[in-house]
């Protein structure tokens, strides 16, 4: 059936179900409209929303001072707490609420599953939605939308059409005056004493700038909020000023105690600010802009702040990196191994400012990529800016059993022996492996780009498969005195994807007397630095970053 025909058919079925009287045949055997799981887009106004706890069934929030928990939007009081006292926020699908207003009935359904699906769809689409049980008709009235008394036929007609346009009702839906207890999904905020209050909109805590809110176990500047994510669980969110957010990011991305060089810290601040502005709305379907982890940028809140990195943020306040007037994708990583990567060598994208450069002073570069690959196996080069880093050069060895294990994890099934590992493609300009092949007893498997690092993890000293530091490596067979294959050994350089700013390279340049703008313009080709803010987009991302691995080899 074509989409247009299906829509008409669905509306016809819904029409039969909405009914003007509960004594009409009820409907429960057709699928309820799914609705649209979207959060209203809020224009960026100087504050970024950070997903501290991206997915949980309950979230604890509090503050370092006495506080009130209030509903977002209405500012209605919910509960209060003492300093360091935590409240627990949960999501309850059916909270009884006394009501006396006008509500739009869309159906009287005979199944609880259909009822809950419809109410959830209404909430996700932004309409106040509830239900009540009608014992005389043995069905649940589902209300999607409400209006205050007295009746306003013009306003109600417009409102009803909006619900119809959202695919949540038909023309048979009718407005009713409802003066009873209805049940609707709500946030429930509960104190340790058992005192609780419910709200339609997110509970949040706002404190004075000298105090801190608590989300989970950590303290943050700004606001603590709990919001339902796209999967229907809860997210603990910190809404905080952009510059204050960076106070907790820069020291976690480039530790000031180890790397106190001011110009490197400033370069990191600009890169982190640019990333944050260009990522506004990245996870908006889940209620926040960025995560507080390496999936975006590591954000440690108040506990992470350090005077050196805070000074770097303040010294570069508002400055971002742009290319042809547009905010760049300011990728950064730990150390390059001597040469940065073209972005297309590691990710499925291309960019004119993420180009490979030698991570060394002029005149101290190696003569060729071939020489770089040779140096991975027999390191003699001392000219790299980041040569002091422990991952500037590395090597790992796998036994046959270990390689069988990690490739089996990658292939999601037992593969037997790994008989050959072939580098099918390598970047001629950065030296990165761009395609690799594993030839096994159970077939041949390939991987590309930065995903190669997780396809062939090394085995740590504690026996844990750990992501390969980079794709800048060479690999060789290990054999015994009889020439029989006994394992594999990789020699590599660098830690991270390799595209954009090398953090230890920035430190090396700062030690050599370069300024933060010179550092940034080396690693991001052709950029300009200017004061600019980003625009929040209506982005989508998975509600949870965890996944179940269908095959897990533990024999390594």
């Amino acid at each position: 059936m074509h989409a247009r025909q299906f829509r008409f058919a669905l509306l016809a079925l819904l029409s039969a179900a909405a009914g003007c009287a509960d004594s009409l045949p009820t409907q429960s055997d057709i699928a309820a409209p799914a609705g649209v799981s979207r959060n209203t887009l809020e224009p960026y106004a100087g504050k970024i929303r950070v997903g501290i706890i991206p997915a949980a069934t309950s979230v604890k929030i509090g503050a370092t001072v006495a506080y009130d928990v209030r509903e977002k939007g209405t500012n209605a009081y919910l509960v209060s707490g003492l300093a360091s006292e935590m409240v627990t926020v949960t999501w309850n699908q059916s909270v009884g609420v006394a009501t006396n207003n006008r509500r739009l009935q869309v159906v009287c359904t005979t199944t609880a599953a259909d009822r809950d699906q419809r109410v959830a769809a209404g909430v996700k689409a932004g309409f106040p939605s509830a239900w009540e049980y009608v014992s005389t008709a043995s069905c649940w009235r589902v209300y999607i939308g409400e209006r205050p008394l007295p009746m306003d036929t013009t306003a109600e007609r417009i409102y009803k059409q909006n619900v119809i346009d959202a695919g949540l009702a038909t023309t048979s839906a009718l407005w009713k005056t409802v003066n009873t207890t209805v049940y609707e999904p709500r946030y429930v905020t509960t104190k340790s004493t058992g005192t609780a209050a419910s709200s339609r909109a997110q509970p949040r805590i706002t404190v004075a700038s000298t105090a801190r809110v608590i989300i989970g176990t950590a303290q943050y500047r700004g606001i603590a909020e709990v919001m339902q994510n796209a999967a229907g669980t809860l997210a603990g969110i910190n809404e905080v000023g952009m510059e204050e957010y960076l106070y907790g990011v820069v020291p976690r991305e480039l530790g000031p105690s180890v790397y106190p060089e001011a110009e490197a810290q400033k370069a990191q601040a600009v890169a982190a600010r640019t990333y944050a502005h260009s990522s506004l709305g990245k996870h908006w379907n889940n209620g926040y802009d960025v995560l507080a982890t390496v999936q975006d940028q590591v954000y440690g809140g108040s506990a992470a702040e350090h005077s050196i990195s805070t000074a770097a943020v303040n010294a570069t306040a508002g400055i971002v990196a742009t290319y042809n007037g547009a905010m760049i994708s300011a990728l950064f990583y730990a150390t390059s191994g001597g040469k940065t990567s073209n972005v297309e060598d590691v990710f499925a994208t291309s960019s004119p400012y993420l180009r490979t450069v030698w991570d060394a002073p002029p005149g101290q570069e190696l003569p060729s990529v071939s020489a770089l690959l040779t140096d991975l196996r027999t390191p003699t080069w001392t000219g790299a800016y980041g040569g002091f880093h422990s991952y500037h050069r590395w090597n790992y060895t796998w036994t046959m059993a270990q390689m069988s294990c990690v490739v089996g994890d990658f292939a999601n099934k037992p593969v037997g022996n790994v008989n050959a590992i072939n580098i099918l493609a390598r970047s001629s300009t950065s030296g990165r492996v761009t395609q690799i092949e594993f030839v096994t007893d159970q077939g041949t498997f390939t991987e590309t780009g930065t995903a190669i690092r997780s396809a062939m993890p090394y085995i740590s000293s504690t026996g844990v498969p750990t992501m390969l530091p980079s794709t800048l490596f060479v690999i060789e067979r290990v054999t015994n005195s009889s020439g029989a294959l006994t394992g594999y050994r990789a020699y590599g350089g660098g830690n991270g994807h390799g595209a954009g700013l090398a953090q230890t390279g920035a430190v090396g340049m700062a030690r050599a007397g370069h300024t933060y703008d010179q550092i940034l313009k080396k690693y991001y080709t052709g950029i300009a630095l200017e004061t600019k803010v980003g625009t929040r987009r209506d982005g989508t991302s998975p509600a949870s970053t965890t996944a179940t691995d269908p095959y897990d080899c533990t024999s390594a």
Side-chain angles (χ1 to χ4, degrees), residues 59-231:
V59 176
K60 291 183 180 294
I61 56 175
T64 58
V65 295
Y67 61 89
D68 289 342
V69 182
R70 294 183 176 271
E71 183 180 37
K72 183 176 181 178
T74 68
N75 203 38
Y77 170 82
L78 299 175
V79 298
S80 59
L82 300 174
S84 300
E85 179 185 4
M86 304 296 286
V87 297
T88 302
V89 181
T90 55
W91 177 257
N92 190 320
Q93 293 286 358
S94 299
V95 177
V97 180
T99 186
N100 184 20
N101 58 9
R102 299 280 291 170
R103 290 185 179 255
L104 182 65
Q105 180 181 332
V106 300
V107 74
C108 200
T109 180
T110 57
T111 70
D114 184 61
R115 173 201 71 192
D116 293 343
Q117 185 179 356
R118 291 176 182 279
V119 170
V123 170
K124 289 181 179 180
F127 298 103
S129 303
W131 59 268
E132 67 164 313
Y133 185 68
V134 184
S135 58
T136 56
S138 299
C139 65
W140 289 275
R141 290 176 182 159
V142 175
Y143 301 110
I144 298 181
E146 68 177 9
R147 292 270 311 155
L149 289 168
M151 180 175 63
D152 182 333
T153 55
T154 300
E156 288 180 357
R157 183 177 66 252
I158 294 171
Y159 195 121
K160 176 179 174 179
Q161 189 59 51
N162 289 336
V163 178
I164 292 172
D165 291 344
L168 300 169
T170 72
T171 56
S172 298
L174 71 158
W175 285 97
K176 289 184 175 181
T177 297
V178 180
N179 185 8
T180 187
T181 296
V182 297
Y183 295 84
E184 60 182 47
R186 283 187 165 234
Y187 297 97
V188 179
T189 304
T190 307
K191 292 167 58 73
S192 59
T193 59
T195 302
S198 69
S199 59
R200 283 179 176 170
Q202 304 94 286
R204 50 169 29 198
I205 298 171
T206 303
V207 295
S209 61
T210 54
R212 300 290 181 262
V213 294
I214 305 171
I215 304 173
T217 58
Q219 296 181 13
Y220 302 89
R221 296 174 183 263
I223 295 169
E225 181 182 308
V226 180
M227 184 173 184
Q228 196 178 29
N229 61 29

Side-chain angles (χ1 to χ4, degrees), residues 511-528:
R511 290 174 179 174
H514 293 282
T515 58
Y516 80 91
D517 57 320
Q518 292 172 326
I519 294 170
L520 291 165
K521 289 176 181 178
K522 175 178 178 61
Y523 294 102
Y524 303 119
T525 304
I527 64 160

Side-chain angles (χ1 to χ4, degrees), residues 303-512:
E305 294 179 15
H306 192 285
S307 59
I308 291 175
S309 49
T310 296
V313 172
N314 293 339
T316 61
I319 297 174
V320 296
T322 63
Y323 185 87
N324 287 343
M327 207 90 66
I328 72 167
S329 178
L331 300 180
F332 55 85
Y333 54 94
T335 192
S336 71
K339 204 172 195 299
T340 73
S341 175
N342 297 310
V343 68
E344 64 268 23
D345 295 342
V346 287
F347 298 114
T349 187
S350 182
S351 174
Y353 52 82
L354 294 172
R355 314 314 302 158
T356 181
V357 296
W358 283 103
D359 194 4
Q364 296 190 43
E365 307 96 333
L366 287 172
S368 65
V369 168
S370 177
L372 175 63
L373 299 180
T374 298
D375 195 73
L376 298 178
R377 184 180 278 103
T378 53
T380 58
W381 181 38
T382 59
Y385 279 128
F388 59 87
H389 194 272
S390 59
Y391 280 92
H392 177 65
R393 293 289 178 266
W394 47 262
N395 67 83
Y396 299 107
T397 301
W398 296 258
T399 65
M400 290 295 286
Q402 289 172 335
M403 188 60 79
S404 174
C405 179
V406 299
V407 173
D409 279 341
F410 164 61
N412 285 324
K413 66 177 185 179
V415 297
N417 286 329
V418 179
N419 302 308
I421 299 177
N422 302 316
I423 294 176
L424 301 181
R426 183 189 296 275
S427 169
S428 61
T429 54
S430 74
R432 262 69 181 179
V433 177
T434 57
Q435 186 176 26
I436 198 167
E437 174 185 76
F438 305 100
V439 181
T440 78
D441 289 343
Q442 298 302 315
T444 298
F445 307 93
T446 62
E447 188 55 280
T448 60
T450 195
I452 292 169
R453 297 167 61 199
S454 55
M456 193 179 72
Y458 69 92
I459 307 300
S460 72
S461 58
T462 58
V464 177
T466 306
M467 186 167 65
L468 206 63
S470 79
T471 56
L472 179 60
F473 65 88
V474 294
I475 192 162
E476 63 182 27
R477 294 160 60 91
V478 177
T479 59
N480 60 20
S481 56
S482 303
L485 180 63
T486 60
Y488 294 89
R489 182 178 295 113
Y491 299 89
N495 188 18
H497 50 71
L501 176 70
Q503 292 166 308
T504 54
V507 171
M509 288 189 69
R511 290 174 179 174

